[in-house]
Amino acid sequence: MTVLRLENVSRWYGNVVAVNGVSMTIGPGVTGLLGPNGAGKSTLIHMMGGFMAPSSGTVTLDGEPIWRNPGIYRRLGLVPEREAAYDFLTGRQFVVAMAKLFKLPDPGAAAARAIALVEMEYAQDRVIGKYSKGMKQRIKMASALVHDPPVLLLDEPFNGMDPRQRLQLMDLIRRMAAEGRTILFSSHILEEVERVAGHIEVIVAGRHAASGDFRAIRRLMSDRPHQFLVRSGDDRRLAAAIIADGSARAVELTDKGLRVEAVDFRRFTWLLPRLSREAGVRLWEVSPSDESLESVFAYLVAR
Amino acid sequence: MVTGTIHDIGYRHYEGRRLGRGYVLRSLYVHNLRAAWGLGRPARAKVMPFLLAAIMLLPAAGDVAVVAITKEHDLLWRYPAYATYLQVVIAIFLATQAPVLASRELRFHVVPLYFSRPVGPLDFVLAKMAAMVTALLALMATPVTVLYVGGLVNKVPDAGGHLLRYLGALVGCLLFALVLAAVGMVVAAFTPRRGFGVAAVIAVIMLSSVFVVTVQGIAEAETNFTFAGWMGLFTPFNLVDAVQVRLLGAERTAVAVPPAPLGGPVALALCAVLVLGSIAVLYRRFRKGADL
Amino acid sequence: MPIIAAQGLTMRFPGVTALDDLTFAVEPGVVGLVGANGAGKSTLIKILLGLLPASAGQARVLDLDVATQGGPIRERVGYMPEYECLPPDVSATEFVVHMARMSGLPPTVARERAADTLRHVGLYEERYRPMGGYSTGMRQRVKLAQALVHDPRLVFLDEPTNGLDPAGRDEMLDLIRRIGTEFGISVLVTSHLLGELERSCDHVVIIDGGRLLRSQPVAAFTAASGVLSVEVEEGRDALGHRLAAAGLTVRPEGRLLLVDVAGEHTYDLIRDAVVDLELALVRMEQRRHHIEEVFAAPQAPPPQAVPPQVERTW
């Protein structure tokens, strides 16, 4: 069980506070680190990867501090966002070099394994300068996997990938998580995060805004009524019945159906099918419109 | 009865005229000419060009003043010599402004935005060259004109001869502008990194000059004046002076010029090759830089 | 009349085929282009702009032949590049006016249209400041403005939401939709994000490894599948059994129950079962397909999938 723990971590550059008192625990499985541009995600990942020391607070892996602890690097793999400047090496040379850096007993075999894992065998003898963006990402991943680390940190890994490459990478991440690894990846593209991450951590302007399953987070936002779209056989009749009850604050008749703002989520979801049956109105569709990661995220950023 | 109106401020289509190639070329030319003088850009872009222009004028103004005071009409400098006397200032102007015209759009990848419009690479290059040539011409011709007018005002003798020499010097200025623009723009277009362009242009002009002068010195010490003369073709200011001396009847200002009868035509041909060659090179460079 | 029509379009570079026998036609509206890797996509745009002759095949843009009428095409088309292309020391207004004039607009018209276009894309006082200090969102807007200022009939937007955060992305997608509908200008958008394309496009063209994978309206990709997703706060399994007992085909998926629609009564059955079991109904909606499913089919990467890296000169 490899657990990354941040306790009250801050990082500043002069007056600019990139990370502000963040505490979080990252365990096995896939965790998505979300936040708007410039929120501090990259800084956090680099601190977790041992590339930067926190200005205050502690960053530990299984209890051991990460900064200036060479032994720990063997357990971490970091894939940074910036392009690595090794355009003149071939893919295989690059990964083998990384393997040698880690003083692995059989660098060639480890490299071959890592390259196979990211499905880059067909291009391993081509110079990295000639790779596409997606290919460069994958070879960087291979270099971060070559020493088989239990913890993998990925900074914006899907950047610039086309859909097929993205699906492949998502599969890869899921497979590695299934092996028991701890994987953290950052992104500001929510539709990617939604597919892979079971658990999210949200950073807004350097502060830790939320953590957990996004649906659970949504339930916690009691100050925001839940939005629903309801299509029925008789929208008006249903609207009147809904308003008569107290669980909805507003009901709007639109050409797409009824838009309901439910202040009491539990009551409304229990009530709606009941009201329809009593009124003899058929329900065609019940859709929560702000249950998505996107809405949750928008609400968190706006606080 | 009270009335009100809401006006439609939504998107409007444009069904009017779209002006053709001539207009676009002219606009591009004017835009680049303004950029060469720092107009239309922040204030600090204007400092160098205008400062250099002022420095160019000072000696001419000074000379005219001296002539006026001493009444020694021989002290009025020869018109074709001015550019060579002030070659350092002109070279600095070229070095600071050629990158503005030739490499900014390459550095910031703006070129594709032009070529995705009805602007072809040839028009693009021609407009820029013309703008650089005009800027250099203005830089050099103004002080020469000051000298000429100063001479007129001070009633120097042989007004007709002076006029002829003045016009000849203007042609010389045009040649200087063409050759320098050619060299400068090509060097700048291949050094888009910040600051490198300036250094590279200065290096090319000054180093070639130093190299040639050194070799000419050695040659003259060996009394090989012919060789010294032909060497002069390898640096821009000397090259154009060769044309001025051999084909425009000016007095020699450079160290040495190639001998008649071949010296003049060869020098002129070399100028033409430089200018046309640079247009071709720039054309290819911008086409490549337009990779979407 | 299709705004873009390609017939057997092929582009071969030494060692790699970037585009392979593409044939498709797109009606006016908002079209998404997806899947093509970097080289294939930019190659296609260059060919459609008439800047690069294809190795084989034909293409017509706005019913003009790309091989012979490149100039007229470029007069009527706008292009918004993916990468940074704005000089830092010039203001947005100046830049867009200059670009308008480069498209042949007379000076007064250029000024007026530049001002109007900048307003439409959402740039207000910022437009007078040098662009070096702009945020990514503002820069994308300026790039969009210069593509629209000369009133093109078609614009190519290359990854317009690149680098934007979710809010910015929403705004850009809304703007794109407006351009296609309100402004009456056809749009070709490229993107890697299929969710975006589903939201903003009428039609999607998918290119995979240089070959055409699909070209069809979005509605065809996202057709209803005849299956309902049902989500209840608790008691999913009890509901599942109840519905199965009532004769419906039910299977679980994650937190959801998927129920095949047997007829109109299916909806009532579900509603009534939920009420009878005293459950809370969170969701009951038609399950739609997604564009992404097209990619999920396993396909070995063909050797041509490696793009040529055109030598970078900058």
Side-chain angles (χ1 to χ4, degrees):
Chain A
M1 259 266 295
T2 26
V3 175
L4 270 171
R5 197 177 305 258
L6 281 80
E7 271 170 57
N8 213 5
V9 170
S10 294
R11 168 81 199 185
W12 52 78
Y13 305 95
N15 274 337
V16 177
V17 183
V19 174
N20 196 343
V22 170
S23 298
M24 59 169 79
T25 308
I26 317 275
V30 186
T31 304
L33 182 62
L34 301 184
N37 284 339
K41 309 189 290 289
S42 258
T43 309
L44 271 174
I45 290 200
H46 281 75
M47 283 195 281
M48 288 190 238
F51 279 70
M52 238 191 256
S55 306
S56 76
T58 57
V59 184
T60 58
L61 178 62
D62 290 340
E64 286 180 60
I66 298 182
W67 177 244
R68 291 239 179 88
N69 187 351
I72 278 249
Y73 294 150
R74 228 154 258 153
R75 294 194 258 150
L76 289 167
L78 170 62
V79 182
E81 186 195 354
R82 294 267 134 71
E83 321 255 323
Y86 297 114
D87 287 357
F88 51 92
L89 291 175
T90 67
R92 184 150 51 93
Q93 285 171 345
F94 177 52
V95 181
V96 169
M98 288 293 131
K100 290 189 180 154
L101 265 177
F102 280 110
K103 300 206 177 73
L104 296 180
D106 189 352
R113 231 187 0 254
I115 292 178
L117 204 58
V118 300
E119 289 168 9
M120 280 288 285
E121 301 104 310
Y122 71 98
Q124 62 183 327
D125 290 316
R126 212 168 297 140
V127 162
I128 293 184
K130 299 232 178 273
Y131 283 2
S132 73
K133 201 149 186 207
M135 292 164 80
K136 283 190 197 175
Q137 285 285 73
R138 284 190 286 164
I139 209 72
K140 279 195 280 176
M141 282 216 51
S143 76
L145 286 172
V146 72
H147 55 302
D148 210 21
V151 176
L152 199 55
L153 304 167
L154 310 165
D155 197 357
E156 310 261 358
F158 301 106
N159 223 355
M161 286 195 173
D162 67 44
R164 194 178 289 286
Q165 292 167 340
R166 228 201 339 264
L167 283 175
Q168 281 174 343
L169 184 57
M170 285 187 194
D171 265 341
L172 178 61
I173 290 178
R174 279 195 212 98
R175 267 186 286 144
M176 293 197 294
E179 291 168 9
R181 288 185 225 251
T182 300
I183 305 187
L184 175 76
F185 75 96
S186 77
S187 175
H188 60 277
I189 300 187
L190 303 176
E191 70 176 63
E192 294 169 350
V193 179
E194 234 171 346
R195 320 294 305 292
V196 202
H199 182 103
I200 60 166
E201 303 283 347
V202 183
I203 303 285
V204 177
R207 303 287 310 276
H208 189 198
S211 140
D213 174 82
F214 73 85
R215 265 176 231 93
I217 296 173
R218 179 65 184 93
R219 299 280 182 279
L220 290 172
M221 290 177 177
S222 47
D223 53 341
R224 286 199 188 264
H226 282 69
Q227 315 271 1
F228 283 91
L229 181 68
V230 179
R231 276 191 310 123
S232 72
D234 190 340
D235 281 350
R236 251 177 216 283
R237 192 122 142 236
L238 195 54
I242 293 174
I243 274 286
D245 185 82
S247 58
R249 164 169 102 173
V251 178
E252 188 187 336
L253 285 163
T254 72
D255 50 0
K256 292 207 185 86
L258 283 180
R259 245 188 255 285
V260 183
E261 280 183 26
V263 282
D264 187 344
F265 179 81
R266 288 212 131 247
R267 182 169 167 80
F268 177 73
T269 46
W270 172 86
L271 186 73
L272 179 63
R274 217 161 267 281
L275 281 179
S276 341
R277 185 154 87 166
E278 274 159 26
V281 173
R282 168 170 293 156
L283 278 180
W284 290 110
E285 182 179 331
V286 178
S287 287
S289 18
D290 62 349
E291 279 278 294
S292 66
L293 180 55
E294 219 174 301
S295 329
V296 172
F297 184 74
Y299 293 157
L300 285 170
V301 169
R303 275 163 65 215
Chain B
M1 201 181 76
V2 183
T3 54
T5 351
I6 297 183
H7 303 280
D8 178 13
I9 55 167
Y11 183 82
R12 284 182 293 181
H13 286 284
Y14 178 64
E15 314 288 346
R17 297 168 26 238
R18 281 166 208 263
L19 305 170
R21 195 176 164 197
Y23 167 77
V24 175
L25 246 177
R26 264 197 329 273
S27 296
L28 206 42
Y29 167 71
V30 168
H31 176 87
N32 278 294
L33 184 54
R34 284 169 53 97
W37 287 99
L39 305 172
R41 290 175 64 218
R44 48 187 172 77
K46 299 178 183 46
V47 168
M48 265 318 238
F50 282 102
L51 185 61
L52 290 168
I55 297 177
M56 279 293 284
L57 279 175
L58 286 178
D63 190 42
V64 169
V66 164
V67 169
I69 293 169
T70 62
K71 305 273 188 264
E72 296 271 348
H73 298 136
D74 289 340
L75 287 179
L76 191 66
W77 290 338
R78 294 178 297 108
Y79 309 127
Y82 201 77
T84 310
Y85 288 163
L86 290 199
Q87 57 181 279
V88 174
V89 179
I90 300 171
I92 296 177
F93 182 89
L94 182 66
T96 54
Q97 303 310 109
V100 173
L101 291 197
S103 63
R104 294 195 80 248
E105 276 117 344
L106 283 172
R107 178 160 25 119
F108 298 117
H109 314 152
V110 191
V111 182
L113 293 181
Y114 283 97
F115 292 175
S116 62
R117 292 177 151 75
V119 178
L122 186 61
D123 289 355
F124 197 65
V125 171
L126 287 178
K128 281 183 178 293
M129 274 294 273
M132 188 82 238
V133 168
T134 312
L136 285 170
L137 189 57
L139 186 74
M140 289 184 271
T142 316
V144 171
T145 309
V146 164
L147 281 179
Y148 174 67
V149 168
L152 280 183
V153 163
N154 285 300
K155 299 193 181 47
V156 297
D158 187 20
H162 269 275
L163 179 59
L164 273 178
R165 283 196 290 281
Y166 169 65
L167 293 174
L170 284 184
V171 175
C173 284
L174 179 60
L175 270 175
F176 273 116
L178 282 165
V179 170
L180 289 170
V183 172
M185 300 265 288
V186 167
V187 173
F190 285 92
T191 51
R193 306 269 285 284
R194 245 195 108 116
F196 279 15
V198 179
V201 173
I202 280 279
V204 167
I205 306 254
M206 298 278 96
L207 288 182
S208 65
S209 173
V210 166
F211 172 72
V212 163
V213 166
T214 313
V215 173
Q216 284 172 330
I218 296 174
E220 297 201 338
E222 310 271 320
T223 68
N224 192 345
F225 297 108
T226 325
F227 184 69
W230 287 108
M231 271 314 289
L233 293 179
F234 289 93
T235 184
F237 283 95
N238 201 332
L239 169 65
V240 178
D241 202 43
V243 178
Q244 290 194 125
V245 170
R246 294 293 174 218
L247 295 180
L248 295 172
E251 279 177 46
R252 186 167 55 84
T253 320
V255 170
V257 288
L262 285 178
V266 168
L268 187 59
L270 196 49
C271 289
V273 164
L274 270 175
V275 173
L276 294 174
S278 82
I279 292 179
V281 168
L282 286 171
Y283 175 84
R284 277 202 58 196
R285 176 74 172 132
F286 282 113
R287 264 191 62 188
K288 221 168 171 205
D291 253 355
L292 299 183
Chain C
M1 185 206 73
I3 41 162
I4 302 178
Q7 188 84 13
L9 203 58
T10 307
M11 191 66 212
R12 279 181 221 103
F13 291 110
V16 163
T17 305
L19 301 174
D20 197 350
D21 199 29
L22 285 179
T23 300
F24 63 89
V26 173
E27 295 299 313
V30 182
V31 184
L33 179 67
V34 72
N37 52 44
K41 178 180 61 170
S42 52
T43 305
L44 181 59
I45 293 183
K46 269 196 273 196
I47 291 179
L48 293 177
L49 281 174
L51 294 174
L52 180 66
S55 310
Q58 295 103 23
R60 294 186 80 81
V61 173
L62 299 171
D63 208 25
L64 297 165
D65 186 354
V66 299
T68 54
Q69 295 169 291
I73 291 179
R74 291 192 290 279
E75 274 171 32
R76 293 164 176 71
V77 163
Y79 170 53
M80 173 183 170
E82 175 186 358
Y83 45 80
E84 286 307 311
C85 58
L86 302 175
D89 56 354
V90 170
S91 71
T93 308
E94 268 195 64
F95 184 69
V96 177
V97 171
H98 176 60
M99 283 296 148
R101 295 181 62 160
M102 290 295 103
S103 287
L105 264 47
T108 327
V109 177
R111 253 177 250 131
E112 287 172 6
R113 282 200 64 86
D116 242 10
T117 313
L118 285 168
R119 172 171 63 88
H120 287 304
V121 302
L123 272 178
Y124 306 103
E125 307 83 57
E126 313 79 66
R127 67 173 80 171
Y128 304 115
R129 288 187 347 235
M131 295 193 278
Y134 282 10
S135 67
T136 314
M138 295 199 272
R139 269 183 248 215
Q140 297 289 71
R141 287 171 208 261
V142 180
K143 288 199 286 184
L144 184 56
Q146 65 80 34
L148 292 172
V149 70
H150 52 289
D151 193 26
R153 304 232 335 257
L154 166 65
V155 283
F156 294 129
L157 307 182
D158 200 352
E159 312 257 351
T161 58
N162 217 358
L164 296 177
D165 59 16
R169 185 166 281 135
D170 269 350
E171 284 171 16
M172 180 58 78
L173 291 174
D174 280 341
L175 196 46
I176 292 175
R177 212 52 232 155
R178 272 181 67 203
I179 294 174
T181 51
E182 257 179 65
F183 295 11
I185 299 177
S186 289
V187 181
L188 176 73
V189 189
T190 70
S191 174
H192 290 320
L193 301 176
L194 304 171
E196 283 184 357
L197 295 180
E198 277 176 22
R199 271 170 62 179
S200 49
C201 300
D202 306 315
H203 188 110
V204 172
V205 174
I206 305 183
I207 298 182
D208 193 13
R211 289 216 180 83
L212 182 71
L213 191 56
R214 235 28 112 72
S215 166
Q216 58 188 46
V218 169
F221 283 103
T222 58
S225 58
V227 174
L228 288 178
S229 298
V230 178
E231 186 182 339
V232 285
E233 189 72 356
E234 296 152 337
R236 183 198 75 172
D237 291 336
L239 181 62
H241 289 309
R242 179 72 165 250
L243 293 174
L248 293 175
T249 318
V250 181
R251 58 189 182 285
E253 189 188 87
R255 346 161 21 87
L256 306 172
L257 272 180
L258 298 181
V259 183
D260 285 356
V261 179
E264 292 193 345
H265 61 281
T266 308
Y267 296 89
D268 297 335
L269 274 174
I270 297 174
R271 179 197 67 190
D272 295 344
V274 167
V275 175
D276 289 340
L277 292 172
E278 300 266 339
L279 298 176
L281 180 65
V282 176
R283 183 189 311 264
M284 180 173 74
E285 54 187 12
Q286 286 269 15
R287 202 164 157 92
R288 295 191 168 271
H289 290 291
H290 290 286
I291 300 180
E292 194 179 70
E293 292 162 29
V294 165
F295 289 98
Q299 223 192 60
Q304 302 110 303
V306 178
Q309 214 60 348
V310 182
E311 194 210 306
R312 303 221 136 199
T313 53
W314 26 262

